[in-house]
Amino acid sequence: MKPNRLLAATAITLATAGGAHAGVDALDLVEPVAEYKIFVTGRTAELVEGVDAFVAAVKAGDVEKAKALYPVVRVPYEQIEPIAELFSDLDVAIDSRADDYEQAEADPEFPGFHRIEYGLWEKGSTEGLDAVADKLSADVHDLHGRIDGLTFPPEKVVGGAAVLMEEVALTKISGEENRYSRTDLWDFKANFDGAYKIVELVRPLIEETEADFVAAVDGNFDKVYAILEKYEDGDGYVSYLKLTDADRNVLSAAVNTLAEDLSTLRGKLGLD
């Protein structure tokens, strides 16, 4: 969709969505939401390209290459997760976990990234993964097409910043998501980046009237990024197993604080 058509579609959505905060006109949200769609569409294009390379490595039986690609390929998905989750069927197909299936890892219905992750790290093999890999590729291509045709709900865009932090704080900090590869810190960084992008786009609408709030959010983002920097390893991160319980508690506290702040963002923009 061309940007001007996107702006028009978003304006229609905003105009029919209801009132706005006293200091924010609904139409002021048109540009940031349109910019966010451009960001998300770009990230899904990266996801498609990355997954196709990942799938090729899996189907070639190249375990080490597939392992190296796995955390990198997941980054764009984790950055745009609140939008991806609007398509629940694809989110389940792409990113569900073994716990969601009756026979866990042995269940033939267990799909997507984490089924392949299990094979690569727990089995050290790509055996039996060709069909799973092909389905993953088809699903991310489908996601890209659906997102391209979606008019983004402003409340979902703005609320997505808190959603990303809440998911890290409530479920991901335990290490349950990438339980085989232990590449969790890659996902955390992507989630932080996705949330920060949303804040960055709506900042001009509130930075004068909510200066203290903006300063607090910026400070808390600085804190979580500084914590992550301690665990950098080359172009990536150390295994999540290297973090102690104390390390995880420090990270959890910082993320929880950020999640609490960002949970008020929709209200500040009149979208509650």
Side-chain angles (χ1 to χ4, degrees):
M1 182 181 289
K2 300 293 185 183
N4 60 336
R5 291 175 58 200
L6 174 59
L7 286 166
T10 308
I12 291 169
T13 300
L14 286 166
T16 59
H21 190 268
V24 178
D25 188 285
L27 291 178
D28 290 340
L29 287 163
V30 171
E31 185 174 350
V33 171
E35 288 296 323
Y36 185 66
K37 178 164 184 177
I38 292 169
F39 166 77
V40 172
T41 302
R43 290 301 181 270
T44 53
E46 289 180 17
L47 177 67
V48 166
E49 183 178 354
V51 165
D52 284 350
F54 177 62
V55 165
V58 170
K59 295 181 71 172
D62 192 336
V63 172
E64 292 309 310
K65 183 175 182 180
K67 281 184 172 182
L69 289 173
Y70 173 80
V72 181
V73 168
R74 286 181 54 76
V75 164
Y77 191 82
E78 293 295 321
Q79 289 175 331
I80 64 159
E81 200 165 14
I83 298 301
E85 288 176 346
L86 294 176
F87 306 103
S88 58
D89 59 328
L90 291 180
D91 186 51
V92 167
I94 292 168
D95 206 37
S96 59
R97 303 165 194 173
D99 303 342
D100 299 323
Y101 300 88
E102 185 175 352
Q103 300 176 58
E105 288 88 354
D107 199 307
E109 298 300 314
F110 177 34
F113 275 125
H114 297 302
R115 173 65 185 89
I116 297 173
E117 179 199 6
Y118 172 71
L120 294 174
W121 271 271
E122 294 297 310
K123 300 295 186 180
S125 171
T126 61
E127 183 178 354
L129 293 180
D130 281 13
V132 179
D134 283 338
K135 180 67 162 53
L136 176 63
S137 178
D139 288 334
V140 298
H141 278 265
D142 189 3
L143 178 67
H144 184 41
R146 293 198 206 179
I147 284 176
D148 188 54
L150 177 69
T151 298
F152 282 27
E155 68 278 5
K156 292 293 185 182
V157 172
V158 176
V163 167
L164 283 163
M165 295 302 92
E166 288 163 1
E167 288 191 356
V168 175
L170 295 175
T171 62
K172 296 181 180 181
I173 206 76
S174 67
E176 70 174 55
E177 175 134 22
N178 295 293
R179 65 190 68 175
Y180 319 112
S181 63
R182 316 314 306 176
T183 56
D184 304 83
L185 294 175
W186 293 78
D187 280 16
F188 293 176
K189 174 62 161 52
N191 291 154
F192 299 157
D193 288 349
Y196 187 76
K197 182 64 176 181
I198 294 167
V199 172
E200 183 181 45
L201 289 173
V202 301
R203 177 190 303 276
L205 304 182
I206 58 171
E207 61 186 348
E208 291 185 8
T209 58
E210 300 284 353
D212 290 345
F213 170 78
V214 171
V217 167
D218 284 345
N220 288 325
F221 268 114
D222 288 344
K223 185 176 293 184
V224 295
Y225 280 129
I227 292 170
L228 275 187
E229 282 179 9
K230 297 193 303 183
Y231 308 113
E232 288 179 353
D233 182 23
D235 293 331
Y237 293 92
V238 300
S239 166
Y240 198 50
L241 291 177
K242 293 193 175 182
L243 275 68
T244 65
D245 287 343
D247 292 332
R248 295 187 190 194
N249 288 339
V250 169
L251 181 57
S252 178
V255 173
N256 271 301
T257 299
L258 190 51
E260 289 171 6
D261 285 346
L262 294 178
S263 70
T264 69
L265 186 58
R266 289 202 330 177
K268 293 181 186 299
L269 290 163
L271 293 170
D272 278 343

